[in-house]
Amino acid sequence: MPTMANALTPLALFSALPKAELHVHLEGSIAPSTVVELAARHGVRLMVEEAAARYAPGDFAQFIEAFLWVTSFLRGPDDYALIARRFAESMQRQNVLYAEVTLSIGVMFRRNQDPAANYAALRDAASAVPGVRLKWIFDAVRQWGAAPAMEVAKIATELRSPDIIAYGIGGDELGLPTCDLRGVYDYVASQGMHRLIHAGEIGGPELVREAVEMLGAERIGHGIGVMRDERTMDFLAARGIPLEVCPTSNLRTGALARQLGRPTAGYEQHPLPSFFRRGLPVTLSSDDPAMFETTLCDEYVHTHKMGLTTAELVRLAEASFEYSFLVPEEKRALLDKFHSGVAALGLV
């Protein structure tokens, strides 16, 4: 008997599938048209084409430079409220029920802004969008050092907001030894906060293992470098440490090509299918969707083309709810909605 799923294109199917997202940067969701709008607020005239050109594919260093350029137009609470509302609306359109959203508090401090005021404005703006639940990850920038990272950790714990779900560090993972961050993560743990970090994006498997063993990281952002070491993959599987995998991001920043030692790489070389079938805990995310010209729905389509079956992709979608940092009863409520949506699509 035909089901609704049989009548839908892959994009329509994965758009209809209830989803969660665990690795997405608010600032990386700013569309070129919104960059133009933000710039105009601050007396800078830009064309959409100019903003879009900044998002062109390049290497990891070029991506970091583009990220800092985009965020230079975020100068106060009203700007953050605008991008948070538009982000939440994008999640609503994609049927994303829940997201843990990374927020670059380190950049706010670097620009002498008030993170508490920015956070209050963006949280309120996003929460006004119905049907989407967001929690926030306060994020520091690794290459700027341990002292600024501690500053981010302290504001995260001082605010004591129930919507701040975790502490993380992004940026250039090669820019600071892992051991230099041990004190920061010890402090975060002492405050009862969840901990995560970007590792194994451009760095090797040893940085992923250090993140878990030295810092107590509970999830790893990217982690594709573990493809180079079976023992590290087995270590993560045994400990149940999820990798937040972002395929298009890994292509657009050149991270996958770098891991493979090749000038270029495509979706067909991405290790996500092998991670999944090996039993590694993995989730699927868009990372910086506007900057990489993707969406979470697109990521499911790309992963389908990599060879994962629809049933496997439903399991992958379920994992994003399961590996969230929500308390068990909240997680169960969202999983019930997910399972109802899967049933309605005829995928069970």
Side-chain angles (χ1 to χ4, degrees):
M1 182 176 179
T3 66
M4 184 184 296
N6 298 138
L8 298 175
T9 66
L11 180 58
L13 174 61
F14 298 125
S15 296
L17 183 70
K19 293 173 290 296
E21 183 157 28
L22 303 182
H23 189 117
V24 57
H25 295 260
L26 177 65
E27 300 86 350
S29 74
I30 306 173
S33 58
T34 302
V35 178
V36 171
E37 186 176 343
L38 289 166
R41 287 183 173 189
H42 303 296
V44 179
R45 185 175 179 183
L46 277 179
M47 302 293 289
V48 171
E49 293 79 12
E50 292 176 83
R54 292 278 190 154
Y55 292 174
D59 59 20
F60 189 77
Q62 287 171 303
F63 160 67
I64 295 289
E65 182 181 342
F67 187 92
L68 293 174
W69 174 78
V70 168
T71 57
S72 73
F73 299 113
L74 296 171
R75 300 183 185 178
D78 289 347
D79 298 334
Y80 280 94
L82 173 67
I83 66 168
R85 176 172 55 80
R86 292 194 177 161
F87 172 82
E89 290 168 348
S90 170
M91 295 291 99
Q92 182 189 58
R93 288 192 297 272
Q94 295 180 72
N95 201 20
V96 176
L97 305 182
Y98 175 72
E100 294 179 358
V101 189
T102 296
L103 184 59
S104 293
I105 301 295
V107 171
M108 296 181 193
F109 274 126
R110 187 85 162 190
R111 297 203 166 111
N112 298 311
Q113 296 173 1
D114 180 351
N118 288 343
Y119 169 67
L122 68 88
R123 180 198 58 205
D124 290 348
S127 65
V129 178
V132 180
R133 187 172 183 197
L134 303 180
K135 297 279 189 177
W136 304 93
I137 297 164
F138 272 34
D139 188 68
V141 180
R142 186 163 180 157
Q143 66 267 28
W144 292 347
M150 181 64 86
E151 193 173 30
V152 175
K154 286 185 174 177
I155 190 70
T157 58
E158 286 167 10
L159 289 177
R160 295 291 177 187
S161 167
D163 291 327
I164 301 173
I165 195 121
Y167 172 83
I169 293 183
D172 182 358
E173 67 186 292
L174 306 180
L176 191 72
T178 307
C179 59
D180 288 8
L181 296 168
R182 193 182 308 213
V184 178
Y185 276 80
D186 285 348
Y187 169 77
V188 172
S190 75
Q191 299 300 305
M193 289 193 72
H194 290 291
R195 291 144 289 152
L196 39 73
I197 193 167
H198 290 54
E201 181 179 11
I202 59 171
E206 71 283 356
L207 291 177
V208 174
R209 188 157 191 145
E210 287 174 4
V212 177
E213 293 184 325
M214 289 186 189
L215 307 181
E218 298 166 81
R219 289 198 317 246
I220 298 294
H222 297 286
I224 59 170
V226 304
M227 67 192 289
R228 293 157 41 193
D229 186 70
E230 293 205 2
R231 288 183 302 174
T232 303
M233 288 191 279
D234 291 342
F235 167 80
L236 293 173
R239 295 219 180 179
I241 305 293
L243 302 179
E244 306 159 352
V245 182
C246 311
T248 299
S249 167
N250 299 150
L251 302 188
R252 290 288 293 259
T253 64
L256 180 58
R258 182 169 179 161
Q259 294 288 359
L260 293 169
R262 299 178 181 178
T264 61
Y267 290 104
E268 62 275 12
Q269 282 93 43
H270 200 281
L272 175 56
S274 63
F275 286 170
F276 179 86
R277 288 169 178 161
R278 188 186 178 96
L280 275 176
V282 290
T283 67
L284 183 63
S285 286
S286 62
D287 197 11
D288 297 277
M291 298 188 74
F292 299 140
E293 298 177 297
T294 191
T295 66
L296 183 58
C297 295
D298 290 337
E299 295 304 294
Y300 277 89
V301 174
H302 293 314
T303 308
H304 188 48
K305 290 177 180 176
M306 290 180 207
L308 262 65
T309 67
T310 300
E312 288 174 323
L313 284 163
V314 169
R315 178 70 193 101
L316 187 63
E318 185 178 44
S320 289
F321 292 97
E322 291 176 344
Y323 297 133
S324 74
F325 288 141
L326 288 170
V327 297
E329 58 268 26
E330 293 176 316
K331 197 178 293 190
R332 279 195 299 271
L334 282 171
L335 279 166
D336 286 345
K337 289 184 179 179
F338 170 76
H339 292 139
S340 294
V342 169
L345 289 168
L347 295 173
V348 291

